[in-house]
Structure formats: structure tokens, C-alpha cells
Amino acid sequence: MPSYTAPVKDFQFVLHDVLKASESAIPGYDELDRDFTSAILEEAGKIASEVLAPLNPVGDQQGCRLENGVVHTPEGFKAAFDQLREGGWTGLDCDPDFGGQGMPYVMGVATGEMFTAANMAFTMYQGLTHGAYSAIHIHGTDQQKQTYLPKMVSCEWTGTMNLTEPHCGTDLGLMRTKAEPQEDGTYKISGQKIFISAGDHDMSDNVIHLVLAKIPGGPDGIKGVSLFIVPKFLVNEDGSLGARNGVSVGKLEEKMGIHGNATCVMNYDEATGYLLGTEHKGMRAMFTMMNEARLGVGMQGLAVAEAAYQNAVIYAKDRLQGRAVTGTENPDGPADPIIVHPDIRRALMDQKSFVEGARAFALWGAQMIDQARRSEDAAAEGMISLLTPVLKGFLTDEGFACTVQAQQVYGGHGYIEEWGMSQFTRDARIAMIYEGANGIQALDLVGRKLAAEGGKPAMALFEMIKTFCKENADDEEIAKQFIEPLKTASKQLQEAAMYFMQNGMKNPNHALAGSTDFLHLFGHVCLGYMWSKMAIAAKEALASGTGDAAFYETKIATGRYYMSRRLPATAMHLQRILSGADPVMALDAANF
């Protein structure tokens, strides 16, 4: 059975040596000293490895089942969920006014990575609740906050987001779910939603659905969409649960992966709903939830890749096959462990260099969200808005590729369910699709985010990297191995952006045909930037006489690998972009 060990030391390195968390001026960050974050991460790591990871294959094998209208989760899930709730983990970064612990969001992302790596399907239940909590916290009335948030922070009640319908996914303007106004100010919600993760289950007393629907007579398309709170059980004035609402589970989807999470078809039959936010402005409130969810999904990509990588390393060190071409390394055995072979090393280094770079990228993104929220920093808000599609799209594309690499290390055993590697690959695959398929993320990046605010956030990022490169150009070793490759990649990113500006207005297909390549080019530049910062931090730690030289030397060597073996992909992506739309659009539809 696969195992998982939380990489606490790596989290500490990123938080303190790279992001300098406790030195930040962001309100609340002064409390994030090394001892405090170590205690939190160590305890979260224990829960992840000892409680959640053993349930991961159980969830995969048993799945969820629907019986007499009730969804049952896999064996052991409810007890584990109760343990997380009782430990306060579900409200780690939530508002203390509603029972949360008030920690910065960056700590929620760090612990969330651990829990997800250990058991992605399980962790989705509280993850979706957190997103629904955030939407109500920002857009709800005082009464709505008092009614729902305390129970959602504790996960006594869980939450969902209901967008997709059988005939419309990304194009939400086509939705048919209706919300009929009632004299008492409520609405009657009728329609069907599909692919609703954690749509129903037996681990909480109530499920609070956030449902997109159209009020009759409103504007056409997406401008006529509103958002509603639709609880599974109505809530009485004293906070107790009342009658069952007109919402039910039509079926459970049979999926490729995340079997332990209940993905439901939800039927709304004149269910009582409460408007969240303003009429016809539902997408504004829903995007509060979706943007948070997209960073969370990006984190899922790297988390599952981390778990798969850890097990691939164990296997590569244990599996005996062949001899090292440079001479026997295991003379007492019939063969050498496969980790001696260069191609196995390549596969493992691809995974290691991605996961550690992606972790730094995700935590940097979480720090920007804290900066935007806690300091009301518009520049940070603009920057994380720009980077959100990159975080979601790039980390899930590459994270899935890493699980395939890990599976490949196992050879034939990687294809056998008994070894557990297949589950990582199957689970990771959905992250490229939900919360906006990655092709849509790329279109969002090129079509909206790149030009947002007149291009101000994008220009700020380019300038940030340029300044960083100038400031670190004097260290010959760092400059040659990290700064020069980063400078080259950043210039390629800017060249691609300029191509879109010069050609996209004449023929939008020129931009859209290169959007996925641009997203990946962008992602590699961001990881190159993170690796350069990590290399400098590791070198400074070595110079200070740290007692763990091996950790920092390994960090620098891993970074060198990324800069020399992974970052050069930016040149390929640029050439694809510069080829324009003609090769992509050459065939008529009939010729496919």
C-alpha cells in the first residue's frame, strides 16, 4: 500500500527562507515564526500520514453508494472527518467571529497540500465547504453569515458549488435552472445540476448548496445569472434544523478517479433558496469561490504528484534490475536497484524539481491572496488574478504528467491496482478538467488576464523578475546557473505576449491557438523564478553554517536540474506560439 510522509522541512524552507513569512508586513504574519508553523505542520503531517493516507485506497476501492436517497461514504471516512473537525483543522484560516482560528490563508494551503496528498477525495469535502464559506463570508448578509458560517467553519454543515447542467458547462449563460421569487423574499429553485462534488454524504448534518440559477425576466445569458443558498435541510430561526428541502440526489456518477468523493446529480424541485449577493450578479459571488477553488485545484496537482513521487523513490531504491553501466553498485545482490539507471534518475528528477518548484509557487500565490485580503492591496489582487489560471492549469497538467512518470518507474507493477500507483494517476486526471478545464484557463489568461488593467499586473510581473535578475547578477555561480536561464525565459514570455498584442486584434485565432503554449511558458517562467529564489536562499543558509548542509545542497542541485532540463521548454512553446493560427486552423471541420 502506498505511503505518504509530509515534507515539513520543505514547507518550512519555503515559508521562512524563501517567502520570509514572519518578517512580512502582512497582518497576522508576525505570528508565523518557525516554531509556530513547525508545530502546525508537524501535527497536520501526522494526521495526513496516519489517518488519511491509509483511507485513500479504501475510498478508491469502496467508493460512495446511494441507498434510499442517502449517500454513504467509504468505511472510516466519517470517523476521520470527525477527527479533523474536532482538531479545528476545517476552520484553520477562517474568521474567529464564526469559530475559525484566523490564521493566514497560506497556512490553510500548506496543510491542505498535506491532506490532499494523503487523500484527495476525502479532502475535497472540507475544501469545497471552505469555498462556500468564503462566498457567504464576503457576499452574504449578516443574518446569512450568522445562520450558516459557524456550522460551516466547524464542518458540522458542509458546502458545495452548483454550476454545471447537462447541456452547459463552461457556457453558464445557457443554464435553465430557474429561481421563482416568492412573497416572503425567498425563491423556489427548480432544475438539475451535474458533477456536484461532495453533493451529499453522511459526514455532516446539513449540506449548504450554492446554486446558480436565473430569475425569470432577467437579462439574457450570463448577465441574468444569480446565486442562491439552498440548504439540504431548512434552518429554523433558532438555528435548529427544520424540514427537508426540495433537493435530492438523482444519481452518483461513476468516475475514473476520486471514488471516495460523492459526485452527484442534484435535482431541485421548487427548493427554497435565499439570494446571495445581488440579483443577476451571481457570477461575481461565485467567482469568489471559484478563484479560491482554482488555486486549491492547482495545489491538488502538485499534492498528488508529491505522493506519487515519494512512492516512486521508495520503489526505485528497492527494485533490483540490471547493473549500473559504470560498474556494479550492489555487489551482494543479484542486480542493482533501478535508481542507478540514468533514465530512472531523469524521471525522478523531473518529478522532484516540479513538485518542489510548484510548492513554492502555490505558497507564493497564497501569500499574495493574504496580501490582497489582509492589507487590501490592489496590486497583489491584480497579480494573483493574473497568476490564478497559471497556478490551476500548469500545476495540474504537470502534476498529472508526474503521476504518469511515477507510475512508469514501477514498470508493470505501476499498471497493477494492488500497488496503488494507478489511483494517483486516475485521481490527478480530474484536476485538469474541473473548476474550468485547462484549455479554458489558457483562454482566460490570454483573452482576459494578460490585458487586465491595461496590462498592469503582467508588466509588474515582468519588472519584478527583471529587477530580481539585476539584483542577483553579481554572484557568478548563481547568475550562470539560475539568473541567465531565467532572464532568457522571461524575455521569451514577453516576446509571446507582444506577439499576441500585435496579432491578436487582427486575428484573435492567432492568440487563442497559442494560449495553452503560453500558459505553459508562463508556468515554467514562474517555477524558474521560484527555483532561482530558492537557490539563493539555500546558498545563504549554507554560508551561515547551517547544520543541515545536505538539505540545501540537494535543493540547489534540484534547482539546477530544473533550470537546465525543464526551463528550456519555454523556447519550444514560444516557437509554437509564433507559428500562429494557420497550422492549427488549416483543416476544414469535415477533414478531421
Side-chain angles (χ1 to χ4, degrees), residues 342-353:
D343 196 57
I344 295 294
R345 293 289 186 97
R346 175 202 56 79
L348 294 175
M349 287 297 284
D350 275 357
Q351 296 165 61
K352 180 177 175 63
S353 64

Side-chain angles (χ1 to χ4, degrees), residues 24-94:
S24 170
I26 300 172
Y29 270 50
D30 57 330
E31 299 178 3
L32 300 182
D33 59 55
R34 287 181 184 269
D35 289 342
F36 178 78
T37 58
S38 176
I40 297 294
L41 296 173
E42 290 282 359
E43 189 59 32
K46 288 180 183 177
I47 293 172
S49 61
E50 298 174 8
V51 178
L52 303 186
L55 290 175
N56 201 35
V58 175
D60 187 54
Q61 293 158 16
Q62 292 186 6
C64 297
R65 67 185 194 280
L66 176 62
E67 294 179 354
N68 300 319
V70 178
V71 175
H72 299 274
T73 51
E75 185 178 345
F77 268 44
K78 188 177 188 308
F81 200 68
D82 289 343
Q83 187 171 339
L84 249 67
R85 289 179 48 250
E86 290 162 6
W89 295 102
T90 59
L92 197 70
D93 60 330
C94 295

Side-chain angles (χ1 to χ4, degrees), residues 34-197:
R34 287 181 184 269
D35 289 342
F36 178 78
T37 58
S38 176
I40 297 294
L41 296 173
E42 290 282 359
E43 189 59 32
K46 288 180 183 177
I47 293 172
S49 61
E50 298 174 8
V51 178
L52 303 186
L55 290 175
N56 201 35
V58 175
D60 187 54
Q61 293 158 16
Q62 292 186 6
C64 297
R65 67 185 194 280
L66 176 62
E67 294 179 354
N68 300 319
V70 178
V71 175
H72 299 274
T73 51
E75 185 178 345
F77 268 44
K78 188 177 188 308
F81 200 68
D82 289 343
Q83 187 171 339
L84 249 67
R85 289 179 48 250
E86 290 162 6
W89 295 102
T90 59
L92 197 70
D93 60 330
C94 295
D95 190 338
D97 288 345
F98 302 105
Q101 298 189 45
M103 292 186 199
Y105 179 64
V106 72
M107 293 304 295
V109 171
T111 56
E113 186 200 316
M114 295 180 183
F115 296 154
T116 299
N119 195 326
M120 177 176 164
F122 175 92
T123 305
M124 288 171 64
Y125 290 98
Q126 62 262 36
L128 286 157
T129 303
H130 192 287
Y133 152 86
S134 294
I136 296 173
H137 188 262
I138 293 172
H139 300 283
T141 64
D142 288 341
Q143 182 179 0
Q144 288 172 340
K145 293 176 187 178
Q146 293 296 333
T147 299
Y148 299 106
L149 294 189
K151 298 287 190 181
M152 294 177 75
V153 166
S154 67
C155 272
E156 292 173 75
W157 300 350
T158 55
T160 71
M161 55 193 297
N162 285 233
L163 291 81
T164 306
E165 298 183 8
H167 55 280
C168 73
T170 301
D171 192 354
L172 293 172
L174 298 176
M175 71 174 56
R176 297 171 184 161
T177 300
K178 291 184 179 180
E180 295 280 357
Q182 304 298 301
E183 291 183 1
D184 62 359
T186 65
Y187 294 78
K188 291 298 183 185
I189 312 297
S190 297
Q192 185 179 78
K193 299 290 184 175
I194 63 171
F195 305 155
I196 309 306
S197 299

Side-chain angles (χ1 to χ4, degrees), residues 35 58 65 79 196 210 254 271-272 353 373 378 382 423 440 445 450 457 471 491 587-588:
D35 289 342
V58 175
R65 67 185 194 280
I196 309 306
L210 298 192
E254 295 186 16
T272 299
S353 64
R373 291 179 180 173
Q423 184 185 354
I440 299 298
L445 175 63
L450 194 59
E471 291 173 347
K491 287 180 179 178
L587 297 182
D588 291 334

Side-chain angles (χ1 to χ4, degrees), residues 389-390 393 397 436-449 500 511-512 514-520:
V390 184
D397 276 351
N438 286 356
I440 299 298
Q441 301 300 323
L443 296 181
D444 179 46
L445 175 63
V446 169
R448 296 176 55 204
K449 300 300 176 60
F500 291 152
L512 302 185
S515 59
T516 291
D517 280 290
F518 186 75
L519 184 146
H520 277 255

Side-chain angles (χ1 to χ4, degrees), residues 311-489:
N311 287 279
V313 169
I314 293 170
Y315 185 84
K317 290 179 178 179
D318 288 344
R319 174 70 167 173
L320 303 181
Q321 192 160 308
R323 292 292 188 185
V325 294
T326 53
T328 298
E329 294 196 19
N330 180 32
D332 296 330
D336 290 333
I338 63 173
I339 199 169
V340 306
H341 304 306
D343 196 57
I344 295 294
R345 293 289 186 97
R346 175 202 56 79
L348 294 175
M349 287 297 284
D350 275 357
Q351 296 165 61
K352 180 177 175 63
S353 64
F354 165 75
V355 166
E356 293 179 14
R359 176 173 299 119
F361 186 23
L363 293 176
W364 181 44
Q367 187 181 47
M368 273 186 266
I369 289 178
D370 280 328
Q371 176 76 18
R373 291 179 180 173
R374 291 173 172 249
S375 301
E376 298 183 0
D377 187 328
E381 183 70 43
M383 185 69 76
I384 190 58
S385 180
L386 169 69
L387 294 177
T388 292
V390 184
L391 282 157
K392 195 279 182 184
F394 184 70
L395 297 194
T396 56
D397 276 351
E398 293 295 318
F400 172 75
C402 283
T403 66
V404 174
Q405 288 263 45
Q407 191 179 29
Q408 190 76 9
V409 168
Y410 275 69
H413 289 143
Y415 200 66
I416 303 300
E417 293 292 346
E418 177 187 349
W419 290 80
M421 298 306 289
S422 166
Q423 184 185 354
F424 294 131
T425 303
R426 289 184 286 102
D427 285 356
R429 186 63 184 86
I430 185 58
M432 302 161 71
I433 299 173
Y434 61 15
E435 301 304 342
N438 286 356
I440 299 298
Q441 301 300 323
L443 296 181
D444 179 46
L445 175 63
V446 169
R448 296 176 55 204
K449 300 300 176 60
L450 194 59
E453 301 179 47
K456 186 177 178 180
M459 295 304 295
L461 180 69
F462 298 153
E463 188 61 32
M464 181 190 302
I465 295 175
K466 181 180 178 181
T467 300
F468 172 80
C469 289
K470 284 183 178 179
E471 291 173 347
N472 295 282
D474 294 339
D475 185 324
E476 186 174 340
E477 183 182 11
I478 290 291
K480 182 179 180 181
Q481 298 174 347
F482 291 89
I483 302 304
E484 290 302 324
L486 174 61
K487 188 186 301 183
T488 297

Side-chain angles (χ1 to χ4, degrees), residues 171-235:
D171 192 354
L172 293 172
L174 298 176
M175 71 174 56
R176 297 171 184 161
T177 300
K178 291 184 179 180
E180 295 280 357
Q182 304 298 301
E183 291 183 1
D184 62 359
T186 65
Y187 294 78
K188 291 298 183 185
I189 312 297
S190 297
Q192 185 179 78
K193 299 290 184 175
I194 63 171
F195 305 155
I196 309 306
S197 299
D200 196 74
H201 54 89
D202 56 0
M203 299 192 298
S204 66
D205 297 330
N206 203 359
V207 181
I208 310 304
H209 301 286
L210 298 192
V211 183
L212 286 177
K214 287 185 173 181
I215 301 171
D220 293 333
I222 198 68
K223 293 182 179 179
V225 172
S226 302
L227 184 62
F228 299 89
I229 299 172
V230 187
K232 175 181 175 180
F233 290 97
L234 298 175
V235 182

